[in-house]
mmCIF file of all heavy atoms in Angstrom:
data_model
loop_
_atom_site.group_PDB
_atom_site.id
_atom_site.type_symbol
_atom_site.label_atom_id
_atom_site.label_comp_id
_atom_site.label_asym_id
_atom_site.label_seq_id
_atom_site.Cartn_x
_atom_site.Cartn_y
_atom_site.Cartn_z
ATOM 1 N N ASP A 14 108.446 -122.985 216.813
ATOM 2 C CA ASP A 14 109.538 -123.336 217.746
ATOM 3 C C ASP A 14 109.105 -123.031 219.164
ATOM 4 O O ASP A 14 107.941 -122.555 219.361
ATOM 5 C CB ASP A 14 110.845 -122.742 217.301
ATOM 6 C CG ASP A 14 110.909 -121.218 217.692
ATOM 7 O OD1 ASP A 14 109.901 -120.715 218.241
ATOM 8 O OD2 ASP A 14 111.956 -120.627 217.399
ATOM 9 N N SER A 16 109.620 -120.607 221.118
ATOM 10 C CA SER A 16 109.225 -119.220 221.317
ATOM 11 C C SER A 16 108.019 -118.805 220.464
ATOM 12 O O SER A 16 107.667 -117.629 220.536
ATOM 13 C CB SER A 16 110.408 -118.268 221.163
ATOM 14 O OG SER A 16 111.080 -118.484 220.048
ATOM 15 N N VAL A 18 107.700 -118.942 217.144
ATOM 16 C CA VAL A 18 107.909 -118.462 215.844
ATOM 17 C C VAL A 18 107.425 -119.506 214.786
ATOM 18 O O VAL A 18 107.698 -120.708 214.927
ATOM 19 C CB VAL A 18 109.486 -118.186 215.619
ATOM 20 C CG1 VAL A 18 109.716 -117.845 214.139
ATOM 21 C CG2 VAL A 18 109.926 -117.110 216.547
ATOM 22 N N ASP A 19 106.738 -119.021 213.836
ATOM 23 C CA ASP A 19 106.181 -119.884 212.663
ATOM 24 C C ASP A 19 107.443 -120.262 211.852
ATOM 25 O O ASP A 19 108.055 -119.448 211.185
ATOM 26 C CB ASP A 19 105.149 -119.109 211.905
ATOM 27 C CG ASP A 19 104.589 -119.921 210.750
ATOM 28 O OD1 ASP A 19 105.266 -120.739 210.142
ATOM 29 O OD2 ASP A 19 103.394 -119.657 210.380
ATOM 30 N N LEU A 20 107.823 -121.588 211.797
ATOM 31 C CA LEU A 20 109.041 -121.961 211.255
ATOM 32 C C LEU A 20 109.043 -121.853 209.729
ATOM 33 O O LEU A 20 110.025 -121.462 209.172
ATOM 34 C CB LEU A 20 109.314 -123.433 211.602
ATOM 35 C CG LEU A 20 109.564 -123.727 213.075
ATOM 36 C CD1 LEU A 20 109.722 -125.126 213.423
ATOM 37 C CD2 LEU A 20 110.830 -122.983 213.584
ATOM 38 N N ALA A 21 107.899 -122.039 209.094
ATOM 39 C CA ALA A 21 107.802 -121.894 207.662
ATOM 40 C C ALA A 21 107.980 -120.384 207.303
ATOM 41 O O ALA A 21 108.690 -120.079 206.294
ATOM 42 C CB ALA A 21 106.519 -122.425 207.116
ATOM 43 N N PHE A 22 107.371 -119.527 208.139
ATOM 44 C CA PHE A 22 107.488 -118.088 207.837
ATOM 45 C C PHE A 22 108.943 -117.686 207.943
ATOM 46 O O PHE A 22 109.453 -117.044 207.019
ATOM 47 C CB PHE A 22 106.640 -117.354 208.918
ATOM 48 C CG PHE A 22 106.670 -115.826 208.844
ATOM 49 C CD1 PHE A 22 106.574 -115.185 207.543
ATOM 50 C CD2 PHE A 22 106.858 -115.028 209.973
ATOM 51 C CE1 PHE A 22 106.625 -113.756 207.461
ATOM 52 C CE2 PHE A 22 106.908 -113.685 209.828
ATOM 53 C CZ PHE A 22 106.832 -113.027 208.683
ATOM 54 N N ARG A 23 109.677 -118.077 208.991
ATOM 55 C CA ARG A 23 111.071 -117.706 209.212
ATOM 56 C C ARG A 23 111.878 -118.250 207.977
ATOM 57 O O ARG A 23 112.741 -117.510 207.382
ATOM 58 C CB ARG A 23 111.610 -118.196 210.511
ATOM 59 C CG ARG A 23 113.053 -117.759 210.634
ATOM 60 C CD ARG A 23 113.642 -117.895 212.026
ATOM 61 N NE ARG A 23 113.629 -119.272 212.452
ATOM 62 C CZ ARG A 23 113.602 -119.692 213.711
ATOM 63 N NH1 ARG A 23 113.689 -118.862 214.701
ATOM 64 N NH2 ARG A 23 113.664 -120.941 213.977
ATOM 65 N N ALA A 24 111.686 -119.445 207.665
ATOM 66 C CA ALA A 24 112.547 -120.119 206.555
ATOM 67 C C ALA A 24 112.259 -119.341 205.241
ATOM 68 O O ALA A 24 113.236 -119.024 204.499
ATOM 69 C CB ALA A 24 112.204 -121.576 206.444
ATOM 70 N N ASN A 25 111.023 -119.080 204.956
ATOM 71 C CA ASN A 25 110.675 -118.428 203.676
ATOM 72 C C ASN A 25 111.202 -117.018 203.673
ATOM 73 O O ASN A 25 111.749 -116.599 202.615
ATOM 74 C CB ASN A 25 109.108 -118.328 203.484
ATOM 75 C CG ASN A 25 108.490 -119.614 202.906
ATOM 76 O OD1 ASN A 25 107.389 -119.580 202.611
ATOM 77 N ND2 ASN A 25 109.224 -120.688 202.838
ATOM 78 N N VAL A 26 111.153 -116.292 204.775
ATOM 79 C CA VAL A 26 111.663 -114.933 204.784
ATOM 80 C C VAL A 26 113.211 -114.876 204.620
ATOM 81 O O VAL A 26 113.744 -114.161 203.880
ATOM 82 C CB VAL A 26 111.261 -114.162 206.114
ATOM 83 C CG1 VAL A 26 111.933 -112.824 206.222
ATOM 84 C CG2 VAL A 26 109.738 -113.960 206.104
ATOM 85 N N LEU A 27 113.859 -115.731 205.442
ATOM 86 C CA LEU A 27 115.322 -115.833 205.304
ATOM 87 C C LEU A 27 115.850 -116.255 203.980
ATOM 88 O O LEU A 27 116.686 -115.603 203.366
ATOM 89 C CB LEU A 27 115.973 -116.722 206.449
ATOM 90 C CG LEU A 27 115.686 -116.263 207.896
ATOM 91 C CD1 LEU A 27 116.226 -117.191 208.909
ATOM 92 C CD2 LEU A 27 116.284 -114.753 208.092
ATOM 93 N N ASP A 28 115.184 -117.339 203.432
ATOM 94 C CA ASP A 28 115.632 -117.765 202.068
ATOM 95 C C ASP A 28 115.396 -116.603 201.074
ATOM 96 O O ASP A 28 116.176 -116.365 200.179
ATOM 97 C CB ASP A 28 114.685 -118.947 201.662
ATOM 98 C CG ASP A 28 115.169 -120.206 202.250
ATOM 99 O OD1 ASP A 28 116.302 -120.306 202.798
ATOM 100 O OD2 ASP A 28 114.386 -121.252 202.179
ATOM 101 N N GLY A 29 114.201 -115.886 201.187
ATOM 102 C CA GLY A 29 113.817 -114.837 200.314
ATOM 103 C C GLY A 29 114.726 -113.642 200.422
ATOM 104 O O GLY A 29 114.953 -112.971 199.348
ATOM 105 N N ARG A 31 117.937 -113.847 201.372
ATOM 106 C CA ARG A 31 119.282 -114.261 200.874
ATOM 107 C C ARG A 31 119.323 -114.285 199.333
ATOM 108 O O ARG A 31 120.440 -114.131 198.776
ATOM 109 C CB ARG A 31 119.608 -115.685 201.406
ATOM 110 C CG ARG A 31 119.865 -115.748 202.867
ATOM 111 C CD ARG A 31 120.057 -117.254 203.212
ATOM 112 N NE ARG A 31 119.957 -117.402 204.690
ATOM 113 C CZ ARG A 31 119.295 -118.385 205.290
ATOM 114 N NH1 ARG A 31 118.620 -119.310 204.594
ATOM 115 N NH2 ARG A 31 119.168 -118.501 206.547
ATOM 116 N N TRP A 41 102.452 -114.764 203.004
ATOM 117 C CA TRP A 41 102.808 -114.163 204.413
ATOM 118 C C TRP A 41 102.270 -112.709 204.541
ATOM 119 O O TRP A 41 102.352 -112.168 205.540
ATOM 120 C CB TRP A 41 104.357 -114.242 204.567
ATOM 121 C CG TRP A 41 104.854 -115.715 204.449
ATOM 122 C CD1 TRP A 41 105.661 -116.130 203.472
ATOM 123 C CD2 TRP A 41 104.500 -116.749 205.334
ATOM 124 N NE1 TRP A 41 105.846 -117.523 203.701
ATOM 125 C CE2 TRP A 41 105.199 -117.882 204.845
ATOM 126 C CE3 TRP A 41 103.689 -116.858 206.519
ATOM 127 C CZ2 TRP A 41 105.114 -119.154 205.457
ATOM 128 C CZ3 TRP A 41 103.599 -118.183 207.112
ATOM 129 C CH2 TRP A 41 104.203 -119.158 206.554
ATOM 130 N N LEU A 231 109.964 -111.950 213.799
ATOM 131 C CA LEU A 231 111.295 -112.514 213.518
ATOM 132 C C LEU A 231 112.390 -111.604 214.055
ATOM 133 O O LEU A 231 113.530 -111.623 213.588
ATOM 134 C CB LEU A 231 111.483 -112.782 212.035
ATOM 135 C CG LEU A 231 110.398 -113.631 211.364
ATOM 136 C CD1 LEU A 231 110.663 -113.779 209.811
ATOM 137 C CD2 LEU A 231 110.354 -115.066 212.050
ATOM 138 N N VAL A 267 117.521 -109.811 210.495
ATOM 139 C CA VAL A 267 116.200 -110.545 210.712
ATOM 140 C C VAL A 267 116.606 -111.883 211.367
ATOM 141 O O VAL A 267 117.521 -112.597 210.798
ATOM 142 C CB VAL A 267 115.511 -110.818 209.410
ATOM 143 C CG1 VAL A 267 114.213 -111.637 209.663
ATOM 144 C CG2 VAL A 267 115.035 -109.463 208.832
ATOM 145 N N SER A 268 116.062 -112.212 212.514
ATOM 146 C CA SER A 268 116.377 -113.484 213.225
ATOM 147 C C SER A 268 117.898 -113.667 213.379
ATOM 148 O O SER A 268 118.436 -114.709 213.211
ATOM 149 C CB SER A 268 115.841 -114.785 212.473
ATOM 150 O OG SER A 268 114.520 -114.899 212.700
#
Side-chain angles (χ1 to χ4, degrees):
D14 75 0
S16 48
V18 174
D19 182 327
L20 294 174
F22 178 47
R23 182 167 63 199
N25 279 188
V26 168
L27 295 178
D28 284 347
R31 287 175 198 135
W41 304 112
L231 304 178
V267 175
S268 279

